[in-house]
Amino acid sequence: MGIELELHSGRPARKGRSRQTLLRGSYEHGEALARALSRLDRHGPGKLGWVDPYGDTLFNEQEAQAARQEAGALAQGCADEQQKAALLDLVELLEACAATPGSYLWFMGD
């Protein structure tokens, strides 16, 4: 199980054409990111709890803005170095998404 991340300039297409909107990806922290996010309550108040580790989840720039602080707080409280690195990478991508009008951050779970 793992979660890969891709930042897109617009809503990514599910089949093949998503490369046209791809700005940046993060593929090296999949398992650690899934473990870090699996601790969150899917029905809790935070946005990151929405992420499905077995499917795909999209955040638009407003949702990314709301989730930035949540990811930062998770990273600060994380003792596992792999999970901390994954969360810090997530924070960077959330910040980039929040700063890019019309963009989406794609959480690709498997």
Side-chain angles (χ1 to χ4, degrees):
M1 178 176 76
I3 300 172
E4 296 178 336
L5 300 169
E6 287 186 351
L7 177 62
H8 289 264
S9 59
R11 189 173 188 88
R14 300 269 183 213
K15 296 190 180 193
R17 295 185 311 237
S18 66
R19 296 290 165 217
Q20 295 173 353
T21 59
L22 180 64
L23 297 174
R24 185 170 146 199
S26 175
Y27 311 105
E28 64 273 5
H29 301 294
E31 289 182 32
L33 182 58
R35 284 193 318 270
L37 296 181
S38 70
R39 299 179 292 159
L40 299 174
D41 180 4
R42 289 190 57 88
H43 304 290
K47 298 287 184 195
L48 291 177
W50 295 359
V51 175
D52 179 1
Y54 302 104
D56 294 343
T57 306
L58 285 175
F59 277 12
N60 63 25
E61 72 225 50
Q62 292 85 13
E63 291 162 334
Q65 174 71 27
R68 277 180 18 190
Q69 292 179 330
E70 186 181 352
L74 281 174
Q76 288 179 354
C78 191
D80 180 307
E81 289 303 315
Q82 290 177 327
Q83 289 181 27
K84 187 172 189 169
L87 289 166
L88 291 175
D89 198 32
L90 173 59
V91 168
E92 287 181 25
L93 285 168
L94 288 167
E95 288 174 349
C97 184
T100 307
S103 66
Y104 285 84
L105 184 58
W106 190 1
F107 295 79
M108 297 176 290
D110 61 15

